[in-house]
Amino acid sequence: MSHADQPMPLSARRSGPLSGQALVPGDKSVSHRALILGALAVGETRITGLLEGKDVLDTAAAMRAFGARVDRTGPGEWSVHGVGVGGFAEPEQVIDCGNSGTGVRLIMGAMATTPITATFTGDASLSRRPMGRITEPLALFGAEITARDGGLLPVTIRGAVDPLPIRYHTPVASAQIKSAVLLAGLNAPGETVVIEAEPTRDHTERMLTGFGAQVRTEVTDEGRMITLYGQPELRPQTVAVPRDPSSAAFPVAAALIVPGSAIRVPGVSRNPTRDGFYVTLAEMGADLTWENDRDEGGEPVADLIVRHSSLRGVEVPAERAASMIDEFPILSAIASLATGRTVMHGVGELRVKESDRIDAMARGLEANGVTVEETRDSLTVHGRDTVAGGATVATHLDHRIAMSFLVLGLASEAPITVDDAGPIATSFPDFLPLMRALGADIG
Ligand code: S3P
C-alpha cells in the first residue's frame, strides 16, 4: 500500500472466524528513536526489525540529510553510521517529515542545540498540528525559531550556539515533548531535567541508557522527573526493534469482535507506559492469554492469544490515557459492539493527532448507526448488539482512523468503506495482506 496522490478507498465486509498468527511490524516509536540515536552515536549502529513504514523512512532520509550514513542492508535490517552528539551537518534541503509528528518533533529536538539551521515541513495533516509545544522548550535552550502563525509548519530552527540545559515541566502528557527536550539536552552541558505529571512512553529514556547516556528517572511529588547528563559520547548499539503494540491492537480488536475467532499475536509489548489498551480490554471481559514473557530489544514483551469475546462497556480513567493514546480510535470502534456504554476520559490530546480523532471517530461511528457523545476531552460510545455499517468514512489522512473502521466493518451488518486507505502505509504497510491472511474480507 503506497500512499499515492489519489485517495485509495477500501471496504471491509462481515467475515468468517479469523485464525492464524499476526506478525505485526516493528514499533514505530522505537524505530524513529533507533535511527535518531544511531545518527547521534559515533560509529555503526545496526537495527533489526525496523518498521519500514513511510513515517520511519522519512526519518531515515532526514538523518542522511543531517550527515549520517543510513543504509538498508536487508528486510528490516538497517545500518546507521552516526556523526556523534553535536556532529549534525546543516542539511541542504528542507526536511520533509511527511505525516509524522514523532519524526518532526524528535528531529527538531535532536538538532536544536547544534549550531546549524534547518527548515521542517510535512503533509497537509502534519501542517495542521501544533509545533509550539516543541519550539517553546527548544527556544529555552537558546535555539532561534520561526514558524507559521499558530506555531505551525514550516518551522525553521537556528540551533543554539552555546546551548544551556533546561528544567522543563511538560504542559501536556506527551512523550514527543519529553523526547524532544531530552534529545536537545544531549548537546547542552550539565543536567537537563524533564518533569511529566503523567508517565508517557519511556522508549527515549530506555534507549538513551542503552546508548551509554546517563539518565535518571525519579518519582517525585510533581510527577516523573527525568534527568539527563549532557554531552555524553553515545556508543553505537545493536537495536532489535520489538513489534508495535499499537499495530497489534488492530488484529487483536478484529479477533475480539468477529465471532469464532482465535488468533495469536507474538511479541506484544508489556511496557506499562504502552499497555493501557490491553488493561482496558481485560476490564471489558476480553479473552486474552499471555504466554512466554521475555525481553526483546530492552522492552518487556509476551505472546498474546486472543479469542472472540462478549465485551462490556467500561469507564477508561484519564490517568490511563497516555498509556493507550494511539489506541482510542480502535477502542471506540469495538466499544460500539460492547454491552452498555464506554466512556473515555481525559482524551483531549486526540484532537491534535494525525486528525481530530474524537471528531473523526464520532462522525464515522454515527454514520454507521452508532450513538456517541463527545466533549472537548471525552468520548462516549453506546454499545449495541449489531452495528449497521453501510457508510463511507472520512479518514482525514489518518492511518488509525482508516484501520479502525476497516476492523469494525468485519463485524458490521453492511460493509464499511474508508475514503482513503493510503495513509495506512505510514505505520502498517502490510496491514491488508496480514488481515486477509487471518481471514478478513477487505478489498
Ligand atoms: C509517540 C508519542 C505519542 C503518540 C505517537 C508516538 C512517540 O504522541 O501519539 O504516535 O513515539 O513519542 P504524544 O507524545 O504527542 O502524545
Side-chain angles (χ1 to χ4, degrees):
M1 244 181 291
S2 75
H3 189 208
D5 292 327
Q6 289 303 313
M8 194 178 107
L10 205 59
S11 300
R13 281 163 218 85
R14 186 173 268 269
S15 301
L18 305 182
S19 62
Q21 174 155 270
L23 287 173
V24 303
D27 190 295
K28 184 149 70 71
S29 295
V30 175
S31 295
H32 284 294
R33 287 160 172 80
L35 289 168
I36 295 169
L37 288 187
L40 290 170
V42 179
E44 185 187 8
T45 286
R46 291 189 155 271
I47 308 171
T48 57
L50 189 87
L51 168 63
E52 293 178 329
K54 185 172 180 308
D55 278 10
V56 175
L57 299 179
D58 285 338
T59 289
M63 292 302 99
R64 282 191 196 107
F66 282 103
R69 196 174 127 201
V70 182
D71 298 303
R72 183 176 192 262
T73 52
E77 287 180 21
W78 289 67
S79 153
V80 182
H81 288 265
V83 294
V85 169
F88 273 177
E90 187 161 280
E92 288 169 13
Q93 307 288 340
V94 169
I95 304 296
D96 185 349
C97 289
N99 192 248
S100 181
T102 307
V104 76
R105 291 175 173 142
L106 269 55
I107 297 167
M108 283 182 188
M111 62 72 59
T113 47
T114 300
I116 54 171
T117 298
T119 297
F120 296 87
T121 185
D123 71 2
S125 153
L126 193 57
S127 301
R128 287 190 289 265
R129 298 179 65 186
M131 296 298 147
R133 53 176 56 196
I134 301 298
T135 57
E136 279 159 27
L138 297 184
L140 301 175
F141 283 98
E144 286 173 31
I145 299 157
T146 48
R148 195 154 55 91
D149 249 8
L152 302 177
L153 294 178
V155 165
T156 297
I157 302 186
R158 278 169 71 91
V161 179
D162 288 311
L164 302 166
I166 68 168
R167 181 184 173 88
Y168 195 69
H169 288 257
T170 55
V172 288
S174 164
Q176 294 177 355
I177 302 176
K178 170 178 68 179
S179 301
V181 171
L182 291 173
L183 291 171
L186 278 175
N187 200 35
E191 296 180 9
T192 288
V193 179
V194 188
I195 299 145
E196 49 180 10
E198 292 292 336
T200 63
R201 66 191 67 195
D202 60 359
H203 307 302
T204 302
E205 300 92 297
R206 285 173 187 256
M207 207 183 280
L208 277 169
T209 305
F211 275 77
Q214 259 194 70
V215 181
R216 195 177 66 228
T217 302
E218 295 152 273
V219 179
T220 69
D221 291 347
E222 298 171 292
R224 216 153 63 143
M225 183 165 99
I226 301 119
T227 305
L228 168 81
Y229 298 87
Q231 301 184 323
E233 177 164 313
L234 297 182
R235 290 188 301 265
Q237 297 298 303
T238 300
V239 181
V241 179
R243 297 181 193 281
D244 196 324
S246 301
S247 296
F250 296 101
V252 166
L256 287 171
I257 61 171
V258 174
S261 298
I263 68 166
R264 183 181 181 86
V265 191
V268 178
S269 175
R270 308 231 67 197
N271 178 330
T273 64
R274 287 294 291 279
D275 71 352
F277 177 64
Y278 298 92
V279 172
T280 303
L281 290 181
E283 289 177 4
M284 294 175 86
D287 183 344
L288 307 177
T289 308
W290 295 94
E291 289 180 348
N292 199 10
D293 274 288
R294 62 194 180 278
D295 184 278
E296 271 179 17
E299 297 278 337
V301 303
D303 302 333
L304 175 59
I305 295 151
V306 48
R307 296 184 179 79
H308 170 252
S309 306
S310 307
L311 300 175
R312 50 181 182 270
V314 291
E315 302 252 343
V316 186
E319 313 80 76
R320 196 181 294 157
S323 69
M324 55 178 295
I325 195 67
D326 292 335
E327 284 68 78
F328 284 107
I330 186 60
L331 177 69
S332 45
I334 62 174
S336 65
L337 285 165
T339 319
R341 50 175 215 156
T342 294
V343 190
M344 293 158 256
H345 296 281
V347 294
E349 272 294 293
L350 296 182
R351 297 210 181 267
V352 290
K353 294 294 176 187
E354 284 82 330
S355 67
D356 176 341
R357 287 181 170 162
I358 295 182
D359 183 70
M361 287 310 299
R363 301 294 83 75
L365 287 170
E366 279 170 354
N368 285 288
V370 181
T371 305
V372 301
E373 289 150 46
E374 61 176 292
T375 67
R376 199 196 60 76
D377 71 346
S378 75
L379 178 62
T380 299
V381 176
H382 293 266
R384 39 198 305 137
D385 290 343
T386 64
V387 166
T392 297
V393 172
T395 53
H396 306 284
L397 289 178
D398 191 329
H399 54 135
R400 298 197 204 281
I401 300 298
M403 289 187 277
S404 297
F405 281 102
L406 290 172
V407 166
L408 185 58
L410 303 177
S412 57
E413 297 288 323
I416 293 181
T417 300
V418 296
D419 64 350
D420 188 9
I424 294 173
T426 61
S427 69
F428 200 160
D430 287 335
F431 174 77
L432 201 49
L434 181 145
M435 294 300 293
R436 282 181 179 152
L438 297 175
D441 186 353
I442 304 179

